[in-house]
Amino acid sequence: MSQETPPSARLQRVLLVDDEDALRVLLELAVRDIGGLDTLACATCREAREQVAVFQPDLLVVDVQLPDGDGLDLVDALTAGATPPGPPAVLLTARPDAIADRAARMGSVAGVLAKPFDPMTLSQTLDQLWRDWSASRHA
């Protein structure tokens, strides 16, 4: 897992987790092709668990509803109690109000984004959420 990053560093590696093929492709297009970030896309919790240590992302972007588990539980499993600390996560959901309270209690959640999102500005939004989360850890 990536180590805690100072707020001055740049977001570089993003692990994308979404089970919908079309949305996963759109996420990759928005983050890799438009945003210029290194990405790895996964379709399941199992695949994300297998890839996170190998890929060592700076940020996780995780759909809340996955076929083999809950995205919030996945984030908790990948980040809580990890040494060094795991990367923060941004949650994707069609119903952000439904998870806002639970996400706010999770120290590893940098933000919650509603679907649909703007692919042209997604990488900028992720970078800002990541910087804000990093800065709050170094305050």
Side-chain angles (χ1 to χ4, degrees), residues 51-127:
Q51 295 298 324
V52 72
V54 175
F55 185 63
Q56 297 186 342
D58 300 318
L59 182 69
L60 308 170
V61 176
V62 180
D63 185 15
V64 172
Q65 293 182 338
L66 295 164
D68 62 340
D70 178 89
L72 288 131
D73 291 340
L74 173 65
V75 168
D76 197 39
L78 294 177
T79 61
T83 304
V90 172
L91 301 169
L92 290 175
T93 180
R95 299 183 54 217
D97 294 344
I99 64 159
D101 289 340
R102 185 172 170 204
R105 290 189 303 270
M106 297 174 69
S108 57
V109 174
V112 177
L113 294 180
K115 293 179 187 178
F117 54 84
D118 180 356
M120 299 305 292
T121 61
L122 180 62
S123 62
Q124 294 168 332
T125 301
L126 295 176
D127 184 62

Side-chain angles (χ1 to χ4, degrees), residues 14-17 28 38-42 47 51-52 55:
V14 180
L15 180 70
L16 307 167
V17 187
E28 283 188 288
D38 191 10
T39 65
L40 177 66
C42 301
E47 189 180 352
Q51 295 298 324
V52 72
F55 185 63

